[in-house]
């Protein structure tokens, strides 16, 4: 059976967008253009340039805040974020923990919330927004 991980944006200007992962990958989320999942400043002003990193190996997925100013939340619990007196460069030197995610978890990044679904299916999802190791701008 093939496992897939689906991230569905549930709030904010990008609500309804889905991103499906069916192979081992990492997904950098932030507002920089070189992020795999880029959320432009105009869409969400609270997202850092390099906000968090997803380590995806379906059906497993882990998340790590990368020293974002506003933090990353899992099910309303803050899991990271730098102090306001730290610069982004100082935050890169800090070691933030990695957290396992489970089916149904809510991830909040800035004003954007995503719901995680882990699905085991025999068929391949057919969505136009499948990300397979390439950069995708979601503006």
């Amino acid at each position: 059976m093939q496992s897939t991980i689906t991230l569905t944006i549930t709030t904010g200007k990008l609500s309804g967008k889905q991103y499906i992962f069916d192979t081992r990958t990492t997904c950098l989320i932030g507002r920089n253009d070189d992020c795999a999942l880029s959320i432009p400043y105009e869409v969400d002003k609270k997202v850092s340039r390099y906000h968090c990193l997803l380590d995806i190996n379906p059906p497993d997925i882990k998340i790590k805040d990368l020293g974002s100013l506003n933090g990353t939340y899992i099910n309303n619990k803050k899991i990271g974020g730098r102090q306001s007196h730290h610069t982004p460069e100082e935050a890169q030197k800090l070691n933030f923990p990695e957290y396992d995610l489970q089916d149904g978890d809510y991830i909040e990044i800035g004003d954007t919330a995503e719901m995680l679904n882990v699905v085991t299916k025999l068929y391949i999802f057919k969505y136009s927004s499948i990300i397979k190791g390439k950069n995708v701008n979601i503006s």
Side-chain angles (χ1 to χ4, degrees):
M1 289 186 137
Q2 180 181 2
S3 295
T4 61
I5 293 183
T6 303
L7 293 177
T8 303
I9 298 178
T10 59
T11 63
K13 294 180 182 178
L14 302 172
S15 183
K17 287 201 174 255
Q18 288 191 323
Y19 301 90
I20 299 168
F21 304 89
D22 59 4
T23 59
R24 175 83 169 91
T25 190
T26 57
C27 180
L28 182 60
I29 300 175
R31 69 172 196 258
N32 246 28
D33 289 338
D34 63 344
C35 291
L37 209 157
S38 178
I39 302 173
Y41 182 77
E42 301 78 33
V43 172
D44 192 335
K45 294 174 177 35
K46 293 183 180 178
V47 174
S48 294
R49 288 177 286 174
Y50 300 105
H51 200 99
C52 64
L53 180 70
L54 298 176
D55 181 6
I56 302 166
N57 190 13
D60 301 317
I61 181 169
K62 296 179 182 203
I63 189 169
K64 180 178 183 175
D65 187 274
L66 297 175
S68 65
L69 180 59
N70 294 303
T72 300
Y73 293 79
I74 303 171
N75 301 324
N76 297 317
K77 180 183 174 193
K78 190 172 185 178
I79 63 154
R82 63 182 158 91
Q83 300 294 318
S84 60
H85 64 276
H86 285 135
T87 66
E89 293 74 24
E90 290 172 325
Q92 287 178 348
K93 297 175 185 174
L94 301 174
N95 188 19
F96 293 97
E98 196 172 62
Y99 293 85
D100 291 321
L101 294 173
Q102 305 298 320
D103 186 31
D105 280 348
Y106 282 92
I107 306 163
E108 295 175 59
I109 300 163
D111 288 329
T112 303
E114 302 171 7
M115 181 177 177
L116 174 70
N117 288 309
V118 179
V119 183
T120 303
K121 298 283 184 191
L122 291 173
Y123 60 92
I124 298 174
F125 288 95
K126 294 183 180 178
Y127 289 101
S128 60
S129 58
I130 293 176
I131 300 171
K132 291 188 178 180
K134 61 183 177 185
N135 290 344
V136 175
N137 191 319
I138 61 173
S139 58

